[in-house]
Each structure stands twice: as structure tokens, then as C-alpha cells.
Amino acid sequence: MNVVNVTSINVLDNPCAFGNPFQFEITFECLQELKDDLDWKIIYVGSAESEKYDQELESVLVGPVPVGVNKFVFQAPAPDASKVPENDILGVTVVLVTCSYNEKEFIRVGYYVNNSYDPESGFGTEPPSPPRTDLMRREILAQKPRVTRFPISWDNEPAPATANAASPGTDGLTATGFVQAGGAGASSSSAAKSDENDVAMEEDEDMEEDDEEEEEEEEDDEDGDIDLMEDEDL
């Protein structure tokens, strides 16, 4: 059983200019007192060809974590475009929000990100070289995150039967799935569920590593909440 359950993530300032910071409003529930802090990271996947282009945009320790519902806004700077292959600047990539405890990752949420030139820039059909990131827009497909949970041992708990195999990556996210949609600071406080654009998270039913994957989408609630697609077979 996870001691910390992420209940919702709200993507802020989306869509926005390419150079704007990433902002995620994260709500999570802590079921028991923790001895150590939670380590949150935002990772930008620079290229699908190699993990060497991944950029850890920000890492922040959150703690001590009180028992109950907590909320904070996790902010990270935009990726360094000079470290991304020129052919991969435009188009679809992935940004990951991860959380670890005692260096063991227990949850990863991946979002598709689409980078494109502003229509008013005039570079829609003939992008310049080198890329003009000051004229680019970034859009996160907030409605369709990919959630992966990993069993870990918490304080005074035996190691889980399934080993933690977490590492930066896209976890099955592919660039073909994108559909157009309409320094870090961290603090925790008791809070109710977020308002519009919050994303409700459910428990994984099966954490076995497998090539087969099953995703389930549910219709938006009237208040704008959207259910996450959970990994069924991993």
C-alpha cells in the first residue's frame, strides 16, 4: 500500500510561450507520518532517440509532510533549447512529473507536450534554422496524462515483492498520440480537491511489467475534473 497517494495534478499556464516556466499544482494525501522528505522532479524528454537529451528541469524536497491532504505548486524553468537536437525542438515530446521517497520512485506522471510556432510568426510552413524559441508556443495535453505507480518499501516496511524499476523515460508515451487541446517553489497545506482542469488519479490494478497495456478514459465531470488513464499491465 502506498503511504502517499497523489490525488490530482492541475497544469497551470497552459498553453503558453515556450520559455515560460512549467507549473503543476499537485494535491496528495499522506496516510502516516514520514521520517524523510518527498523528492519531486520535473524531467523534460528532449528526444525520443536517446535519454541523454533528457533534462531534469527542477528537483525539490517537500517536508516534513503532515498526515492528511496537502497541496503545493511545483514550478520549473523551461528546457534549455541548446541541449535539444534541432530536429526535435518542434513537434511532440513528453514532460514527466515524478516523486521518490528514500531515492525510490513511487509515481511518475507523463504528459504529451506540443511545441509549435505562433501562427502570427509566419514560420508555420518554413521553420527557421536555428529555431526561434522566442516565437514558439508550448501546449501540454493535460487531459491525457499517463500514470505509472511503483511499489516501494516505506518506513519500517519490508521490501515489496515487485522491485522498483523506475528510471526517466516515456513509459509507453508515443508522439503519435497527441491531439490538440483547447526555481521551484513548494509549500504544503491542507486543501480540498482542485477546481477546473484538475486530474483525478485512481489506483493501478496491476504493476507487473508486461508488453501489453490497457488504457481507460472516462468522460469529463461537470466541474471540469478529468480521470487519468491508469497503467493496467506494466
Side-chain angles (χ1 to χ4, degrees):
M1 180 187 72
N2 275 342
V3 173
V4 175
N5 294 311
V6 180
T7 57
S8 69
I9 295 181
N10 185 20
V11 181
L12 307 178
D13 190 25
N14 182 54
C16 65
F18 179 87
N20 284 18
F22 284 93
Q23 297 184 67
F24 299 93
E25 184 183 66
I26 301 172
T27 304
F28 66 93
E29 182 180 18
C30 184
L31 302 181
Q32 69 183 45
E33 185 176 352
L34 297 177
K35 296 180 180 179
D36 297 302
D37 296 340
L38 297 175
D39 185 8
W40 294 86
K41 295 180 181 180
I42 296 178
I43 300 170
Y44 183 84
V45 178
S47 174
E49 301 299 324
S50 174
E51 290 184 4
K52 71 179 182 179
Y53 297 111
D54 289 357
Q55 296 184 42
E56 183 179 306
L57 303 181
E58 192 58 86
S59 177
V60 63
L61 295 176
V62 175
V65 179
V67 175
V69 178
N70 302 273
K71 180 190 293 186
F72 73 102
V73 174
F74 192 9
Q75 180 173 315
D80 184 347
S82 67
K83 297 180 180 179
V84 179
E86 184 171 325
N87 292 336
D88 293 315
I89 289 285
L90 290 174
V92 180
T93 186
V94 172
V95 65
L96 304 171
V97 178
T98 73
C99 191
S100 302
Y101 184 70
N102 286 334
E103 299 184 351
K104 300 181 182 68
E105 186 180 16
F106 63 89
I107 189 168
R108 180 187 307 163
V109 183
Y111 293 92
Y112 291 114
V113 180
N114 187 47
N115 298 318
S116 61
Y117 279 104
D118 190 306
E120 298 181 358
S121 68
F123 293 134
T125 57
E126 297 183 3
S129 180
R132 291 283 306 276
T133 56
D134 58 315
L135 299 177
M136 289 171 53
R137 302 279 295 173
R138 182 183 72 225
E139 181 179 9
I140 299 174
L141 189 59
Q143 290 87 350
K144 294 185 178 181
R146 173 71 172 224
V147 180
T148 306
R149 288 182 171 87
F150 303 92
I152 68 169
S153 59
W154 299 83
D155 296 330
N156 301 321
E157 287 187 355
T162 304
N164 175 42
S167 63
T170 57
D171 273 333
L173 290 168
T174 58
T176 57
F178 184 84
V179 178
Q180 291 290 341
S187 62
S188 58
S189 62
S190 297
K193 188 176 181 182
S194 304
D195 295 330
E196 285 190 352
N197 298 323
D198 276 11
V199 182
M201 300 188 180
E202 301 173 356
E203 292 296 330
D204 289 334
E205 295 182 4
D206 189 357
M207 298 305 298
E208 295 181 0
E209 294 190 358
D210 198 309
D211 291 333
E212 297 180 3
E213 300 177 348
E214 178 180 348
E215 301 176 345
E216 179 180 2
E217 300 180 17
E218 295 184 10
E219 295 181 354
D220 295 1
D221 298 329
E222 292 182 357
D223 62 354
D225 286 358
I226 302 169
D227 289 340
L228 285 179
M229 299 184 300
E230 291 291 346
D231 291 343
E232 297 287 337
D233 295 293
L234 297 172

